Amino acid sequence: MVKIGNIELPEFPLLLAPMEDVSDPPFRRLCKTHGADMMYSEFISSEGLIRDAIKSRMKLDIFDYERPVGIQIFGGDEEAMALSSKIVSTVKPDLVDINFGCPVKKVVCKGAGAGVLKDVDLMVRLTKAVIRSTDLPVTVKTRLGWDENSINIDEVAERLQDIGVQALTIHARTRAQMYKGHSDWSHIARVKNNPRITMPIFGNGDIDNPEKALKYKNEYGIDGIMIGRAAIGYPWIFNEIKHYFKTGEHLAAPTVADRVEAARNHLMWSMEWKGERLGIVEMRRHYTNYFKGIHSFKEYKQKLVTTDEPEALFAIMKEIEQVYAGYEFV
C-alpha cells in the first residue's frame, strides 16, 4: 500500500496527470470509472485564484466520487502561493500538488512551472510557503531539470522531502525537451534508490500501453505511474494496465459501442458542468481521440464538430454505433 499523508492508495497506484484544458471534472469522472486511482485538477494559477478569475475558480470544483483527488497550483511568488494554498484548502481536496514541471513558455516566463528548476532555493521557498499555509498533504510534480546539462532532480527530491513534501512525481524529461524525444526513467530510478528518499516516487512520461507499464514498474522500481496524454480519448488504459499486471493478458479492446458510450458520457457530463453551449464546443477537441483508427470516419467527425444541438449530437453518435457495429480495429 502507498500512503500520502492519510491517503491510502493501492499497492501500485495509477494516477491521472493534471493536464491543462483536459483534466476537468467530466474527464476525471470518465477516467475514475475506468480505473484511475488518484487524479488531479488542471493546474491553477495562484495569481488567478487570488484575482478571483472565473476560470481558475471553476477548476476548484471537485466531487466526492473522484476521491482521492488533488488540486494542483503553480506560481512564482511566495505570498501568492501561500494565499492560493489557503483558498484551495477551503474546498477540501485530499492534497495540494505544486506544479514545477510545466514547460510552456507563458508559465516559465513568469518564473513558475519548470522555470523554477533553474533556482532550487526558490523552489524550496515556494514549497515551504504552501506547506505552512495548509494542513493537507503537499506533493510536487516536476521534471529532471532545465536541460540535459543541468539535471538536478536528485537535489530537488532530497530538499523537497526535507521540508515536508509527501510524494514526488517526476516527468522523465527536461524542460528543454518539452514533450519531445525519449523520456529517461533511469534518473527516476536513481532518485527512488536513494536511501535518503522515503516518500513515494511516481514516474511519468511515455506510458501508453500495459507492456510498457509493467516493464517500467519492474525496471525502475517506482511506487506508481502517472498517465497523461495516453488517457486522452482512451480512459480504458487504466483498467487495461491493471488487468495485465494481474493476469499477463490483455483486456479486449474497446469496441465502437464502448467508444460511443465514453464520448456520449463525456459530452453529457461536460454540458452538465460547463453549461450546454460551452460543453458542446469544448468537447469537440476530444472526438478525434475517441474514434481514432476508424477508417472513413471524416464525414462523421465533421458532423460532430459542427453540430450545435445535443439531441442531434446524440443521434449522430447512435448512427456511428450502428454503422460501425462489429468494426475491428487493425
Side-chain angles (χ1 to χ4, degrees):
M1 184 180 293
V2 173
K3 291 194 73 173
I4 303 173
N6 293 323
I7 305 167
E8 294 185 350
L9 297 170
E11 183 182 345
F12 191 85
L14 302 179
L15 286 55
L16 173 66
M19 293 177 282
E20 177 71 355
D21 294 327
V22 176
S23 302
D24 57 16
F27 181 72
R28 297 199 302 264
R29 183 175 181 179
L30 202 58
C31 290
K32 184 73 172 184
T33 302
H34 290 284
D37 294 308
M38 188 164 76
M39 302 175 294
Y40 301 81
S41 68
E42 301 171 74
F43 73 155
I44 304 173
S45 161
S46 53
E47 286 83 1
L49 266 185
I50 293 166
R51 288 197 313 270
D52 203 24
I54 292 172
K55 188 174 182 183
S56 294
R57 289 281 175 164
M58 268 194 81
K59 291 178 183 178
L60 290 178
D61 284 358
I62 54 173
F63 301 91
D64 282 340
Y65 59 74
E66 300 183 85
R67 295 187 185 279
V69 61
I71 289 179
Q72 188 186 74
I73 57 176
F74 74 95
D77 178 80
E78 291 171 60
E79 193 174 332
M81 288 290 277
L83 188 50
S84 63
S85 175
K86 289 178 180 176
I87 295 169
V88 164
S89 298
T90 64
V91 302
K92 296 182 168 56
D94 296 286
L95 60 83
V96 179
D97 190 69
I98 307 174
N99 182 310
F100 289 136
C102 178
V104 177
K105 189 175 181 180
K106 67 178 181 180
V107 173
V108 170
C109 284
K110 294 177 181 175
V116 184
L117 283 163
K118 292 194 285 187
D119 188 346
V120 181
D121 289 341
L122 174 61
M123 182 188 287
V124 169
R125 293 198 303 273
L126 292 169
T127 306
K128 276 183 176 177
V130 172
I131 290 172
R132 283 195 299 262
S133 302
T134 182
D135 294 326
L136 296 168
V138 173
T139 61
V140 165
K141 182 170 188 277
T142 190
R143 290 184 170 233
L144 302 177
W146 180 255
D147 57 30
E148 64 177 45
N149 296 316
S150 57
I151 290 174
N152 56 0
I153 191 61
D154 304 85
E155 177 192 358
V156 164
E158 288 191 2
R159 293 186 66 182
L160 290 179
Q161 179 177 274
D162 287 347
I163 60 171
V165 167
Q166 300 199 34
L168 179 65
T169 300
I170 304 170
H171 182 129
R173 286 183 174 86
T174 63
R175 188 272 170 176
Q177 285 181 274
M178 302 295 284
Y179 295 100
K180 298 172 184 175
H182 293 295
S183 58
D184 185 351
W185 286 55
S186 66
H187 298 287
I188 303 179
R190 193 176 61 250
V191 171
K192 177 59 189 170
N193 290 327
N194 179 346
R196 278 203 60 206
I197 298 297
T198 56
M199 63 181 170
I201 302 295
F202 303 122
N204 173 229
D206 294 341
I207 298 293
D208 55 9
N209 62 60
E211 292 93 339
K212 192 180 284 186
L214 184 60
K215 179 178 184 289
Y216 282 30
K217 173 180 184 284
N218 293 336
E219 197 168 320
Y220 300 112
I222 61 293
D223 295 295
I225 287 172
M226 179 178 281
I227 296 169
R229 289 173 291 169
I232 300 174
Y234 204 86
W236 301 277
I237 190 167
F238 297 99
N239 278 335
E240 285 182 356
I241 290 172
K242 289 179 175 182
H243 184 78
Y244 189 75
F245 280 5
K246 284 181 182 176
T247 68
E249 297 175 355
H250 288 279
L251 280 173
T255 62
V256 172
D258 294 330
R259 292 164 187 261
V260 167
E261 181 187 20
R264 187 190 296 121
N265 284 336
H266 197 163
L267 172 61
M268 195 164 52
W269 297 335
S270 291
M271 289 191 297
E272 287 174 4
W273 184 61
K274 301 175 183 178
E276 183 177 296
R277 176 63 186 161
L278 192 59
I280 287 171
V281 171
E282 293 198 349
M283 184 63 195
R284 289 172 179 167
R285 66 169 74 102
H286 292 285
Y287 293 124
T288 298
N289 292 301
Y290 280 119
F291 300 111
K292 188 185 294 180
I294 300 178
H295 294 305
S296 306
F297 194 75
K298 189 175 181 181
E299 182 183 336
Y300 283 112
K301 185 197 168 188
Q302 190 62 21
K303 289 181 180 178
L304 288 169
V305 300
T306 55
T307 301
D308 291 326
E309 297 298 323
E311 294 77 12
L313 280 164
F314 292 133
I316 293 165
M317 290 186 195
K318 189 170 185 180
E319 186 179 337
I320 291 168
E321 189 173 345
Q322 292 169 343
V323 168
Y324 291 97
Y327 181 89
E328 291 190 12
F329 292 86
V330 178

